[in-house]
Amino acid sequence: MLLGSHVSCQGGISKAVGRAEEVGCECIQIFVSNPPRQWPVFSDEKPDSVTVQELQTGANSGSGTQQWRAKPLATSAIEAWNSAISASTVSHPIAHASYLINMASPKDELFRKSIDALVIELERANSLSLNGLVVHPGSFTESSESEGLARIVDAASEALERVAAGTCKLLLENTAGQGSCLGHTLEQLAYMVDGIGHSDRIGICLDTCHAYAAGYEINTRQGFDEMRKKMDDLLPENAIATLHLNDSKKPLGSRVDRHEHIGLGEIGLDAFRFVLEDSVLGKLPGYLETEKGIHEETGEEWDVINLRVLRELQ
Ligand SMILES: [Zn+2]
């Protein structure tokens, strides 16, 4: 498995490539909208004081942010990225979309803004020749699961129709199922993939922390195999395109999304071994979304440590 991490674009998108190399990434995830209001927080890219509740309900959406008004990237930024990535050993670059996007929103204004933002992010991702754009499907808030799912299908279909096909696939990420977040079951993801169509431009990003928090017992052989069988039964072949490799601070089925360093959380190392050894999942690129910073005792970057822990399991 190619192993990498989410890396900061502070100072310009092309700067992320050097940062990825420094910690030993073979693949890289970035944000293409700046500065993204995001959650969970990466330590060097602090979001504004927006709350999860605001993101889910759309309260405060757009007020005073650059996010919704993001323009296509400057040619100079694209050129700098292209030369940095082509001179690098880092491959499989992907982006994570803004956490402000809520394709399931019952509020028309937020729904329309979400589609527009997704279009811009897909265009940006294509202009950088990225392989994928990971998006959380959305929260239905005061509507219902079925209405939310229908909105997600409509939003993603429209976005893909508005953007010319390029390198970038739209990757729906499984979620922990916090609040009214959709995409925490494989059934919901299958419904979305089915409804959206565009099968060559759509895929799934499987996050280990989210799967566990959503109730998939991936840390036991039986639980992992059950989830894998469900994937095979419900999803089209090759639907899973990428992995987010995160341990979880919160227990099985907690439906709370808190990432932990690999092997130091509730999931533990076995699940990562199962993933790495899997005949399908083990061939996909895997990205860390764990906290940045330096280990207090060893002085090592946490990304270096987490990547080493994973490589030792291979
Ligand atoms: Zn993730």
Side-chain angles (χ1 to χ4, degrees):
M1 182 183 290
L2 286 179
L3 294 169
S5 185
H6 181 96
V7 178
S8 166
C9 286
Q10 225 167 26
I13 282 177
S14 62
K15 297 278 196 299
V17 178
R19 286 190 190 109
E21 283 177 339
E22 270 170 39
V23 293
C25 290
E26 297 160 308
C27 53
I28 180 174
Q29 175 177 281
I30 58 171
F31 286 120
V32 288
S33 53
N34 250 338
R37 281 185 162 183
Q38 57 184 291
W39 185 85
V41 179
F42 294 99
S43 60
D44 57 347
E45 294 178 301
K46 295 265 187 256
D48 300 341
S49 58
V50 68
T51 65
V52 177
Q53 196 58 31
E54 282 171 341
L55 293 184
Q56 288 178 348
T57 60
N60 195 31
S61 67
S63 59
T65 71
Q66 295 298 312
Q67 181 61 39
W68 298 115
R69 296 191 295 273
K71 292 281 184 294
L73 291 168
T75 311
S76 58
I78 296 169
E79 285 171 358
W81 166 267
N82 285 341
S83 62
I85 198 94
S86 58
S88 157
T89 54
V90 177
S91 64
H92 284 75
I94 61 167
H96 195 301
S98 165
Y99 289 86
L100 269 178
I101 292 172
N102 184 1
M103 296 190 284
S105 178
K107 292 185 176 162
D108 286 335
E109 195 194 352
L110 182 58
F111 178 70
R112 296 305 320 167
K113 279 181 170 177
S114 294
I115 298 171
D116 292 345
L118 197 59
V119 165
I120 289 165
E121 295 218 21
L122 281 167
E123 284 170 346
R124 284 181 159 211
N126 274 331
S127 72
L128 297 171
S129 305
L130 304 189
N131 293 18
L133 176 73
V134 177
V135 66
H136 294 182
S139 308
F140 62 80
T141 63
E142 65 266 32
S143 68
S144 65
E145 177 178 329
S146 60
E147 286 171 275
L149 287 169
R151 284 232 153 184
I152 291 165
V153 167
D154 289 347
S157 302
E158 182 181 328
L160 288 172
E161 270 149 34
R162 281 168 56 184
V163 177
T167 53
C168 182
K169 281 189 178 187
L170 182 63
L171 303 177
L172 303 167
E173 182 170 5
N174 68 311
T175 64
Q178 191 144 323
S180 64
C181 281
L182 293 166
H184 59 96
T185 68
L186 290 167
E187 286 82 356
Q188 289 173 350
L189 291 166
Y191 179 91
M192 292 173 206
V193 168
D194 233 38
I196 294 165
H198 300 278
S199 58
D200 50 336
R201 297 174 68 193
I202 194 93
I204 287 170
C205 173
L206 182 75
D207 186 307
T208 51
C209 168
H210 300 174
Y212 186 75
Y216 291 99
E217 197 175 6
I218 55 173
N219 56 338
T220 66
R221 186 76 250 181
Q222 193 190 342
F224 182 84
D225 289 347
E226 277 170 17
M227 184 187 73
R228 283 292 291 109
K229 182 168 186 319
K230 251 190 178 178
M231 278 179 189
D232 288 343
D233 290 348
L234 293 172
L235 297 170
E237 217 180 328
N238 303 323
I240 311 271
T242 56
L243 299 162
H244 281 169
L245 300 172
N246 305 302
D247 209 324
S248 175
K249 285 189 199 294
K250 299 291 176 182
L252 176 71
S254 59
R255 295 183 66 168
V256 179
D257 178 8
R258 294 282 186 282
H259 299 183
E260 180 57 282
H261 298 298
I262 305 297
L264 300 183
E266 295 279 330
I267 301 180
L269 290 179
D270 283 347
F272 297 97
R273 193 177 293 114
F274 300 150
V275 169
L276 288 160
E277 286 171 356
D278 188 272
S279 60
V280 175
L281 304 183
K283 294 190 173 72
L284 303 175
Y287 307 80
L288 294 167
E289 293 180 317
T290 45
E291 210 180 324
K292 306 294 182 190
I294 305 285
H295 189 290
E296 270 188 26
E297 285 158 30
T298 67
E300 276 184 297
E301 292 270 359
W302 272 107
D303 271 356
V304 173
I305 297 168
N306 284 316
L307 289 171
R308 185 173 60 230
V309 170
L310 289 168
R311 284 180 182 130
E312 282 170 2
L313 296 174
Q314 276 185 312

